[in-house]
Amino acid sequence: MELFYDPDNQPKATHGYDLDGFLHISLEVDDIQQTKRDLEAKGLAVDSEIKYGPDYSYQLWSSDPDGNQIEFMQCTGKSLQMR
């Protein structure tokens, strides 16, 4: 799990949200495709397509009922998080 915090505590526009404090939570998953199917099957928000990010990980975005961003991330052998 990764928590990203804005040290300046200034509103930021990321993925369509203006936020103070923690910007989003990131959860590592084993299978990003299955995670997307599970979210959709439960009627939960899927706010993006699966993307291969600049950190060499697959990413999928969702949000909770309060609009807090949730990133699901599947690492690869090249993922910067694995170093």
Side-chain angles (χ1 to χ4, degrees):
M1 175 171 59
E2 290 181 308
L3 292 174
F4 294 86
Y5 185 74
D6 175 9
D8 299 325
N9 203 27
Q10 297 296 313
K12 300 264 193 255
T14 59
H15 302 283
Y17 300 102
D18 290 330
L19 303 170
D20 284 329
F22 289 101
L23 297 179
H24 74 276
I25 185 171
S26 179
L27 303 171
E28 183 181 1
V29 298
D30 292 327
D31 185 336
I32 198 93
Q33 297 285 345
Q34 185 62 50
T35 299
K36 182 178 181 187
R37 288 191 293 272
D38 290 346
L39 290 170
E40 291 173 334
K42 294 175 181 178
L44 300 173
V46 175
D47 299 337
S48 75
E49 294 300 317
I50 296 170
K51 298 175 187 164
Y52 187 68
D55 60 353
Y56 307 108
S57 298
Y58 292 97
Q59 304 165 346
L60 173 67
W61 292 87
S62 183
S63 55
D64 71 11
D66 293 325
N68 297 300
Q69 296 176 293
I70 304 168
E71 174 190 11
F72 295 93
M73 175 180 61
Q74 179 182 336
C75 291
T76 67
K78 293 176 63 177
S79 294
L80 298 179
Q81 294 85 350
M82 302 304 286
R83 294 185 183 181

